[in-house]
Amino acid sequence: YSLDHFVIPDHYEEDVSSILIPHGVIMDRIKKLARMIVDDSPGPLVVCCVLKGGHQYFADLVDEIKKLRRINGTSVQLSLEFIRVKSYMNDTSSGGVKISLTDAELQEFKGKNLLIVEDIIDTGATMVKLLDRLALVEPKSVRVTSLLIKKTPRSNGYIPDYVGFAIPDAFVVGYALDYNEYFRDLDHICVISVSCI
Ligand code: 5GP
Ligand code: MG
Ligand code: MG
C-alpha cells in the first residue's frame, strides 16, 4: 500500500518503508476471527495475552467477542490473563521459555479452556515451548491464535489454530509489535526502512 494513502505519525514517517497491513484490514480480519473462535468455543475461556506484542490484538479480539454478544446473543464467558514470555536464545537441545507466572499461578490453568493470544509466529520455537510448559498443568483444552505467521524456511512447522495473516519473511512492526520498543504505537503493520536497522 502506498504510504500516501494512510496516516503515519510524523515521528515514524522516515522509518517506515511500506504498509503491509492497514489498521482497517486488521480490524476486519479480527471480526472474522472472533466469530470463528466463538463458534468453536467449548465453554468459558481463559484468554491469555502474550505480552507485550500481543496486547493490541488481545484487546481488539476481546472487544469483538463482546460485540458478538450484542449482535447475536452468543455468550462465552471470558477471563483475562497476561503472560510475559522470553525464549532462551542460546539453548539448542532442551529449549525452554521463561514465563512471568509462578508455578502456583500456572496451576490456575488446570482444567480450563485456554486461548493463547500471540502477535506473530516466526520460527514457532517460542510457542512450542510455551505449549509444552502449559501442558504440564493439564488445562482442559488449549487453542492458539496468532495475528501473524511468517512464511519462512526457519519455521519448525508449528501452525496456530487461528491465524490472521500469513506474511512474507520480513521484519514487521506496528499494532504493538516493536523494534527496540519503538513502533508499538503505530496503528498499521509496517515494514521498516533498512536505514532504521
Ligand atoms: P519465534 O519463537 O516464533 O521465532 O518468535 C516469536 C517472537 O519473536 C514473537 O512473539 C515476536 O516477539 C518476535 N518476532 C518474530 N518476528 C518478528 C517480527 O517480524 N517483528 C517483531 N516486532 N517481532 C518479531
Ligand atoms: Mg510475541
Ligand atoms: Mg519484541
mmCIF file of all heavy atoms in Angstrom, residues 78-106:
data_model
loop_
_atom_site.group_PDB
_atom_site.id
_atom_site.type_symbol
_atom_site.label_atom_id
_atom_site.label_comp_id
_atom_site.label_asym_id
_atom_site.label_seq_id
_atom_site.Cartn_x
_atom_site.Cartn_y
_atom_site.Cartn_z
ATOM 1 N N LEU A 78 -15.499 -14.957 29.507
ATOM 2 C CA LEU A 78 -14.062 -14.795 29.344
ATOM 3 C C LEU A 78 -13.410 -14.410 30.664
ATOM 4 O O LEU A 78 -13.933 -13.557 31.382
ATOM 5 C CB LEU A 78 -13.763 -13.683 28.330
ATOM 6 C CG LEU A 78 -14.401 -13.768 26.944
ATOM 7 C CD1 LEU A 78 -14.013 -12.547 26.122
ATOM 8 C CD2 LEU A 78 -14.004 -15.052 26.234
ATOM 9 N N SER A 79 -12.291 -15.042 30.984
ATOM 10 C CA SER A 79 -11.424 -14.433 31.987
ATOM 11 C C SER A 79 -10.104 -14.112 31.299
ATOM 12 O O SER A 79 -9.712 -14.770 30.341
ATOM 13 C CB SER A 79 -11.260 -15.298 33.223
ATOM 14 O OG SER A 79 -11.104 -16.632 32.882
ATOM 15 N N LEU A 80 -9.464 -13.059 31.786
ATOM 16 C CA LEU A 80 -8.321 -12.493 31.071
ATOM 17 C C LEU A 80 -7.040 -12.691 31.868
ATOM 18 O O LEU A 80 -6.979 -12.378 33.057
ATOM 19 C CB LEU A 80 -8.564 -11.004 30.810
ATOM 20 C CG LEU A 80 -9.937 -10.644 30.201
ATOM 21 C CD1 LEU A 80 -10.027 -9.144 29.935
ATOM 22 C CD2 LEU A 80 -10.207 -11.428 28.923
ATOM 23 N N GLU A 81 -6.032 -13.217 31.187
ATOM 24 C CA GLU A 81 -4.728 -13.428 31.823
ATOM 25 C C GLU A 81 -3.638 -12.827 30.953
ATOM 26 O O GLU A 81 -3.803 -12.696 29.744
ATOM 27 C CB GLU A 81 -4.444 -14.927 31.989
ATOM 28 C CG GLU A 81 -5.314 -15.621 33.024
ATOM 29 C CD GLU A 81 -4.932 -15.253 34.461
ATOM 30 O OE1 GLU A 81 -3.829 -14.688 34.673
ATOM 31 O OE2 GLU A 81 -5.759 -15.516 35.351
ATOM 32 N N PHE A 82 -2.544 -12.479 31.589
ATOM 33 C CA PHE A 82 -1.437 -11.846 30.872
ATOM 34 C C PHE A 82 -0.140 -12.580 31.213
ATOM 35 O O PHE A 82 0.164 -12.774 32.394
ATOM 36 C CB PHE A 82 -1.323 -10.377 31.273
ATOM 37 C CG PHE A 82 -2.579 -9.605 30.929
ATOM 38 C CD1 PHE A 82 -3.671 -9.597 31.797
ATOM 39 C CD2 PHE A 82 -2.680 -8.935 29.722
ATOM 40 C CE1 PHE A 82 -4.842 -8.912 31.474
ATOM 41 C CE2 PHE A 82 -3.844 -8.253 29.394
ATOM 42 C CZ PHE A 82 -4.926 -8.237 30.265
ATOM 43 N N ILE A 83 0.579 -12.990 30.175
ATOM 44 C CA ILE A 83 1.843 -13.699 30.394
ATOM 45 C C ILE A 83 2.944 -12.991 29.620
ATOM 46 O O ILE A 83 2.756 -12.638 28.455
ATOM 47 C CB ILE A 83 1.819 -15.154 29.843
ATOM 48 C CG1 ILE A 83 0.499 -15.857 30.141
ATOM 49 C CG2 ILE A 83 2.973 -15.956 30.388
ATOM 50 C CD1 ILE A 83 0.469 -17.287 29.581
ATOM 51 N N ARG A 84 4.074 -12.818 30.267
ATOM 52 C CA ARG A 84 5.260 -12.385 29.502
ATOM 53 C C ARG A 84 6.120 -13.597 29.281
ATOM 54 O O ARG A 84 6.388 -14.360 30.207
ATOM 55 C CB ARG A 84 6.050 -11.313 30.251
ATOM 56 C CG ARG A 84 5.593 -9.932 29.852
ATOM 57 C CD ARG A 84 6.537 -8.881 30.331
ATOM 58 N NE ARG A 84 7.518 -8.555 29.296
ATOM 59 C CZ ARG A 84 8.253 -7.456 29.335
ATOM 60 N NH1 ARG A 84 8.161 -6.624 30.334
ATOM 61 N NH2 ARG A 84 9.106 -7.211 28.359
ATOM 62 N N VAL A 85 6.544 -13.787 28.045
ATOM 63 C CA VAL A 85 7.297 -14.971 27.681
ATOM 64 C C VAL A 85 8.619 -14.559 27.057
ATOM 65 O O VAL A 85 8.651 -13.711 26.180
ATOM 66 C CB VAL A 85 6.486 -15.818 26.657
ATOM 67 C CG1 VAL A 85 7.310 -16.972 26.146
ATOM 68 C CG2 VAL A 85 5.202 -16.324 27.293
ATOM 69 N N LYS A 86 9.701 -15.124 27.547
ATOM 70 C CA LYS A 86 11.002 -14.887 26.918
ATOM 71 C C LYS A 86 11.630 -16.238 26.572
ATOM 72 O O LYS A 86 11.678 -17.135 27.416
ATOM 73 C CB LYS A 86 11.927 -14.132 27.879
ATOM 74 C CG LYS A 86 11.489 -12.703 28.109
ATOM 75 C CD LYS A 86 12.659 -11.726 27.957
ATOM 76 C CE LYS A 86 12.175 -10.301 27.771
ATOM 77 N NZ LYS A 86 11.742 -9.666 29.018
ATOM 78 N N SER A 87 12.111 -16.361 25.323
ATOM 79 C CA SER A 87 12.797 -17.592 24.925
ATOM 80 C C SER A 87 14.246 -17.518 25.353
ATOM 81 O O SER A 87 14.847 -16.461 25.306
ATOM 82 C CB SER A 87 12.752 -17.764 23.411
ATOM 83 O OG SER A 87 11.467 -18.102 23.020
ATOM 84 N N TYR A 88 14.800 -18.686 25.738
ATOM 85 C CA TYR A 88 16.248 -18.743 25.923
ATOM 86 C C TYR A 88 16.867 -18.806 24.547
ATOM 87 O O TYR A 88 16.582 -19.726 23.785
ATOM 88 C CB TYR A 88 16.647 -20.008 26.705
ATOM 89 C CG TYR A 88 16.070 -20.058 28.084
ATOM 90 C CD1 TYR A 88 15.170 -21.059 28.443
ATOM 91 C CD2 TYR A 88 16.433 -19.123 29.042
ATOM 92 C CE1 TYR A 88 14.637 -21.124 29.710
ATOM 93 C CE2 TYR A 88 15.907 -19.178 30.307
ATOM 94 C CZ TYR A 88 15.014 -20.182 30.644
ATOM 95 O OH TYR A 88 14.494 -20.253 31.897
ATOM 96 N N MET A 89 17.695 -17.849 24.233
ATOM 97 C CA MET A 89 18.203 -17.757 22.869
ATOM 98 C C MET A 89 19.224 -18.840 22.523
ATOM 99 O O MET A 89 19.128 -19.462 21.495
ATOM 100 C CB MET A 89 18.826 -16.368 22.619
ATOM 101 C CG MET A 89 17.799 -15.245 22.664
ATOM 102 S SD MET A 89 16.307 -15.610 21.702
ATOM 103 C CE MET A 89 16.823 -15.072 20.077
ATOM 104 N N ASN A 90 20.199 -19.075 23.405
ATOM 105 C CA ASN A 90 21.306 -19.968 23.037
ATOM 106 C C ASN A 90 21.090 -21.407 23.521
ATOM 107 O O ASN A 90 22.021 -22.121 23.825
ATOM 108 C CB ASN A 90 22.630 -19.447 23.597
ATOM 109 C CG ASN A 90 22.853 -18.024 23.183
ATOM 110 O OD1 ASN A 90 22.600 -17.668 22.030
ATOM 111 N ND2 ASN A 90 23.304 -17.191 24.100
ATOM 112 N N ASP A 91 19.858 -21.795 23.572
ATOM 113 C CA ASP A 91 19.573 -23.132 24.079
ATOM 114 C C ASP A 91 19.136 -24.023 22.918
ATOM 115 O O ASP A 91 18.033 -23.909 22.428
ATOM 116 C CB ASP A 91 18.453 -23.042 25.122
ATOM 117 C CG ASP A 91 18.382 -24.301 25.974
ATOM 118 O OD1 ASP A 91 18.953 -25.324 25.572
ATOM 119 O OD2 ASP A 91 17.748 -24.237 27.020
ATOM 120 N N THR A 92 20.019 -24.890 22.471
ATOM 121 C CA THR A 92 19.704 -25.708 21.297
ATOM 122 C C THR A 92 18.992 -27.001 21.664
ATOM 123 O O THR A 92 17.956 -27.326 21.091
ATOM 124 C CB THR A 92 20.985 -26.060 20.513
ATOM 125 O OG1 THR A 92 21.969 -26.509 21.430
ATOM 126 C CG2 THR A 92 21.497 -24.860 19.738
ATOM 127 N N SER A 93 19.509 -27.709 22.628
ATOM 128 C CA SER A 93 18.996 -29.060 22.895
ATOM 129 C C SER A 93 17.651 -29.073 23.626
ATOM 130 O O SER A 93 16.616 -29.367 23.032
ATOM 131 C CB SER A 93 20.018 -29.865 23.696
ATOM 132 O OG SER A 93 20.366 -29.154 24.872
ATOM 133 N N SER A 94 17.659 -28.730 24.910
ATOM 134 C CA SER A 94 16.444 -28.871 25.707
ATOM 135 C C SER A 94 15.413 -27.791 25.359
ATOM 136 O O SER A 94 14.247 -28.081 25.167
ATOM 137 C CB SER A 94 16.769 -28.814 27.200
ATOM 138 O OG SER A 94 17.404 -27.592 27.514
ATOM 139 N N GLY A 95 15.847 -26.565 25.227
ATOM 140 C CA GLY A 95 14.939 -25.457 24.914
ATOM 141 C C GLY A 95 14.084 -25.116 26.113
ATOM 142 O O GLY A 95 13.827 -25.950 26.978
ATOM 143 N N GLY A 96 13.641 -23.892 26.176
ATOM 144 C CA GLY A 96 12.790 -23.509 27.287
ATOM 145 C C GLY A 96 12.332 -22.082 27.139
ATOM 146 O O GLY A 96 12.902 -21.320 26.378
ATOM 147 N N VAL A 97 11.261 -21.752 27.836
ATOM 148 C CA VAL A 97 10.831 -20.367 27.880
ATOM 149 C C VAL A 97 10.742 -19.924 29.322
ATOM 150 O O VAL A 97 10.470 -20.711 30.218
ATOM 151 C CB VAL A 97 9.446 -20.151 27.203
ATOM 152 C CG1 VAL A 97 9.534 -20.271 25.706
ATOM 153 C CG2 VAL A 97 8.404 -21.083 27.775
ATOM 154 N N LYS A 98 11.005 -18.653 29.510
ATOM 155 C CA LYS A 98 10.852 -18.065 30.824
ATOM 156 C C LYS A 98 9.472 -17.421 30.835
ATOM 157 O O LYS A 98 9.180 -16.549 30.021
ATOM 158 C CB LYS A 98 11.947 -17.017 31.034
ATOM 159 C CG LYS A 98 12.303 -16.818 32.474
ATOM 160 C CD LYS A 98 13.571 -16.000 32.568
ATOM 161 C CE LYS A 98 13.514 -15.146 33.819
ATOM 162 N NZ LYS A 98 14.457 -14.044 33.771
ATOM 163 N N ILE A 99 8.627 -17.878 31.747
ATOM 164 C CA ILE A 99 7.258 -17.384 31.810
ATOM 165 C C ILE A 99 7.105 -16.558 33.078
ATOM 166 O O ILE A 99 7.594 -16.938 34.136
ATOM 167 C CB ILE A 99 6.266 -18.576 31.831
ATOM 168 C CG1 ILE A 99 6.377 -19.356 30.521
ATOM 169 C CG2 ILE A 99 4.848 -18.101 32.039
ATOM 170 C CD1 ILE A 99 5.536 -20.596 30.475
ATOM 171 N N SER A 100 6.419 -15.415 32.935
ATOM 172 C CA SER A 100 6.325 -14.486 34.058
ATOM 173 C C SER A 100 5.411 -14.987 35.175
ATOM 174 O O SER A 100 5.374 -14.395 36.245
ATOM 175 C CB SER A 100 5.822 -13.134 33.556
ATOM 176 O OG SER A 100 4.518 -13.294 33.029
ATOM 177 N N LEU A 101 4.673 -16.074 34.958
ATOM 178 C CA LEU A 101 3.780 -16.583 36.013
ATOM 179 C C LEU A 101 4.517 -17.588 36.891
ATOM 180 O O LEU A 101 5.330 -18.367 36.408
ATOM 181 C CB LEU A 101 2.553 -17.260 35.399
ATOM 182 C CG LEU A 101 1.660 -16.402 34.493
ATOM 183 C CD1 LEU A 101 0.433 -17.197 34.063
ATOM 184 C CD2 LEU A 101 1.227 -15.130 35.197
ATOM 185 N N THR A 102 4.199 -17.566 38.176
ATOM 186 C CA THR A 102 4.772 -18.552 39.084
ATOM 187 C C THR A 102 4.099 -19.904 38.849
ATOM 188 O O THR A 102 3.046 -19.973 38.205
ATOM 189 C CB THR A 102 4.519 -18.154 40.548
ATOM 190 O OG1 THR A 102 3.095 -18.138 40.753
ATOM 191 C CG2 THR A 102 5.093 -16.786 40.861
ATOM 192 N N ASP A 103 4.699 -20.968 39.372
ATOM 193 C CA ASP A 103 4.094 -22.294 39.229
ATOM 194 C C ASP A 103 2.685 -22.313 39.819
ATOM 195 O O ASP A 103 1.778 -22.925 39.259
ATOM 196 C CB ASP A 103 4.967 -23.354 39.907
ATOM 197 C CG ASP A 103 6.206 -23.662 39.062
ATOM 198 O OD1 ASP A 103 6.192 -23.334 37.850
ATOM 199 O OD2 ASP A 103 7.172 -24.214 39.603
ATOM 200 N N ALA A 104 2.529 -21.609 40.950
ATOM 201 C CA ALA A 104 1.209 -21.558 41.594
ATOM 202 C C ALA A 104 0.194 -20.874 40.688
ATOM 203 O O ALA A 104 -0.950 -21.326 40.556
ATOM 204 C CB ALA A 104 1.299 -20.824 42.926
ATOM 205 N N GLU A 105 0.620 -19.792 40.029
ATOM 206 C CA GLU A 105 -0.277 -19.083 39.110
ATOM 207 C C GLU A 105 -0.617 -19.939 37.895
ATOM 208 O O GLU A 105 -1.753 -19.943 37.419
ATOM 209 C CB GLU A 105 0.352 -17.743 38.679
ATOM 210 C CG GLU A 105 0.319 -16.709 39.774
ATOM 211 C CD GLU A 105 1.192 -15.491 39.485
ATOM 212 O OE1 GLU A 105 2.288 -15.643 38.909
ATOM 213 O OE2 GLU A 105 0.767 -14.392 39.871
ATOM 214 N N LEU A 106 0.384 -20.673 37.407
ATOM 215 C CA LEU A 106 0.143 -21.568 36.259
ATOM 216 C C LEU A 106 -0.858 -22.668 36.617
ATOM 217 O O LEU A 106 -1.652 -23.086 35.783
ATOM 218 C CB LEU A 106 1.458 -22.194 35.792
ATOM 219 C CG LEU A 106 2.328 -21.334 34.880
ATOM 220 C CD1 LEU A 106 3.681 -21.995 34.639
ATOM 221 C CD2 LEU A 106 1.643 -21.086 33.543
#
